[in-house]
Amino acid sequence: MSIMQLKHYVYTNTRVLKGGEFLNMEKIENPADTLSAAEIKRVKGLGCLRDKRYTDVFNVRVITKNGKITAAEQHIIAHAAEKFGSGEITMTSRLTLEIQGVHYSNIEELIAYLNENGLITGGTGPLVRPVVSCKGTTCQYGLIDTFGLSEKIHNKFYLGYHDVKLPHKFKIAVGGCPNNCVKPDLNDLGIIGQRVPHLDSEKCRGCKKCQIEINCPIKAARLENGKLVIGAECNHCGRCRGKCPFGAISEYTNGYKVYIGGRWGKKYANGRPLERIFTSEDEVMEVTERAILFFRDEGISGERFADTIKRLGFEYVQGKLLNNNIDETSILNKPIKGGAASL
């Protein structure tokens, strides 16, 4: 750690001993810098999380578009870290960035500087949280445009619902294929790209070295009684595409599988997939909105979506999301108390 960084963290009387890098550090705490719990909570709502080692130093969370930032934005964030913070930047598990070591007195000026350059802070509280996306748009295994879809979700539900309190935080992840790199099934709502094969048994010739069977990574495809069968364990990864020279599988349904009720952390739950494979981004956007509104309407303050589903039953929740009308206006006007701090 440099002398500049040490002084930034309120270490005074700092000296480098002759002939070495040994430091004599004395930290002076100023009682006047002690902040109230209410003020710490307020700035946390702005995306500023207090560093537990200090009374008035915060790490400020800068929102990205699902992990994507431009080179110009990187320069802005780097300059902000040097000017208002310790000069260090860390990354979060939800693909946001945190400017480290920002003194309380610098918070407002830092946020104003970021806003002037098109960047925002946040990512805390009982709200829709920043969306996580894998690189399915460019990855060889990607089946959907994860960049495009996740940006739509970011704009409509992270930005558009930013003032909509929920019973607890609500996390969304978009995965390009069943490799599950960003673990969509461990989010409150997760989306996974799908390529559902349609088997034409009439075209199957029962080859001794079936290329579909050989190329299936989870061995869901196999020959039985001289004919190809696709087991129920098929995860619709699409790796069999173009492998059969006789066209036994040449037709596919491209779509999206949606999981609800996943979570990780102190409590763990695997999300369960809705029974439908959605075939358009518009359908995915609609069911995502219905899930958020349902959670706001029927969730209890302090419980995660997984707990709501467990309490009410998966079939009931699925029916509400797929079939029932949801009164958006009345739900959004309903007063609720968010409970993100209770767990």
Side-chain angles (χ1 to χ4, degrees):
M1 184 175 284
S2 68
I3 293 292
M4 180 185 72
Q5 288 173 316
L6 288 168
K7 289 183 177 179
H8 175 84
Y9 283 114
V10 205
Y11 285 96
T12 61
N13 193 27
T14 304
R15 299 180 179 87
V16 179
L17 299 183
K18 184 177 180 180
E21 296 296 329
F22 299 98
L23 299 169
N24 177 28
M25 298 177 294
E26 180 181 345
K27 185 179 180 186
I28 307 300
E29 298 286 1
N30 184 354
D33 290 334
T34 302
L35 302 172
S36 69
E39 181 60 8
I40 291 171
K41 182 178 180 180
R42 184 188 74 82
V43 297
K44 182 178 179 182
L46 300 175
C48 310
L49 290 81
R50 189 169 69 124
D51 188 320
K52 67 180 182 181
R53 299 171 295 178
Y54 313 104
T55 59
D56 66 340
V57 176
F58 292 78
N59 301 319
V60 180
R61 192 168 290 176
V62 184
I63 303 303
T64 68
K65 290 185 178 178
N66 320 323
K68 290 177 65 178
I69 55 174
T70 66
E73 289 169 336
Q74 288 179 329
H75 283 296
I76 295 298
I77 295 169
H79 178 66
E82 291 178 339
K83 184 175 182 180
F84 303 106
S86 67
E88 297 172 315
I89 300 168
T90 62
M91 291 163 282
T92 74
S93 61
R94 298 202 70 76
L95 304 181
T96 62
L97 300 176
E98 280 187 4
I99 295 174
Q100 302 290 289
V102 179
H103 279 285
Y104 172 75
S105 60
N106 287 335
I107 286 177
E108 287 190 13
E109 194 175 354
L110 166 61
I111 292 176
Y113 173 76
L114 292 171
N115 291 167
E116 288 168 6
N117 289 280
L119 293 164
I120 59 174
T121 62
T124 62
L127 307 165
V128 175
R129 293 293 183 88
V131 184
V132 171
S133 165
C134 76
K135 308 302 182 284
T137 300
T138 58
C139 175
Q140 63 175 321
Y141 300 122
L143 304 175
I144 60 174
D145 178 10
T146 54
F147 290 161
L149 177 57
S150 60
E151 187 164 343
K152 285 182 181 179
I153 294 172
H154 171 86
N155 289 335
K156 183 163 186 179
F157 301 119
Y158 179 72
L159 297 179
Y161 273 52
H162 195 65
D163 295 324
V164 178
K165 274 192 176 179
L166 300 174
H168 210 301
K169 59 189 173 185
F170 194 92
K171 296 181 176 181
I172 303 172
V174 180
C177 77
N179 279 349
N180 284 8
C181 293
V182 293
K183 302 174 178 60
D185 57 339
L186 295 181
N187 283 254
D188 296 281
L189 186 139
I191 301 153
I192 298 178
Q194 300 279 277
R195 182 167 286 152
V196 184
H198 300 295
L199 174 61
D200 185 348
S201 296
E202 295 298 318
K203 293 182 179 180
C204 175
R205 300 194 181 184
C207 301
K208 290 184 178 179
K209 290 188 177 181
C210 172
Q211 294 303 306
I212 300 292
E213 183 178 32
I214 291 171
N215 284 279
C216 179
I218 64 169
K219 308 307 177 187
R222 52 189 172 271
L223 290 178
E224 292 184 0
N225 300 318
K227 285 288 185 179
L228 179 67
V229 297
I230 306 295
E233 66 272 25
C234 174
N235 64 7
H236 311 148
C237 69
R239 305 280 187 89
C240 55
R241 188 179 190 181
K243 295 299 189 291
C244 177
F246 305 107
I249 300 181
S250 58
E251 299 293 329
Y252 294 81
T253 296
N254 295 315
Y256 312 78
K257 181 180 285 189
V258 175
Y259 287 79
I260 59 172
R263 67 184 295 176
W264 58 354
K266 293 184 289 292
K267 291 184 178 180
Y268 176 94
N270 277 108
R272 288 183 60 180
L274 299 176
E275 63 185 18
R276 278 183 55 193
I277 297 294
F278 298 88
T279 56
S280 72
E281 287 188 353
D282 288 343
E283 289 181 342
V284 173
M285 294 294 288
E286 180 182 357
V287 77
T288 300
E289 185 167 37
R290 291 169 73 89
I292 295 168
L293 291 171
F294 174 85
F295 182 44
R296 189 176 202 277
D297 189 34
E298 301 204 31
I300 296 173
S301 179
E303 73 176 4
R304 290 289 296 275
F305 194 31
D307 301 320
T308 304
I309 294 169
K310 183 177 180 180
R311 174 171 56 82
L312 297 175
F314 178 82
E315 297 303 328
Y316 171 81
V317 177
Q318 177 172 246
K320 286 278 191 174
L321 299 188
L322 296 183
N323 304 313
N324 287 35
N325 292 324
I326 292 181
D327 188 341
E328 178 180 353
T329 301
S330 65
I331 293 173
L332 290 177
N333 289 331
K334 176 181 177 180
I336 71 166
K337 181 181 179 181
S342 64
L343 288 179

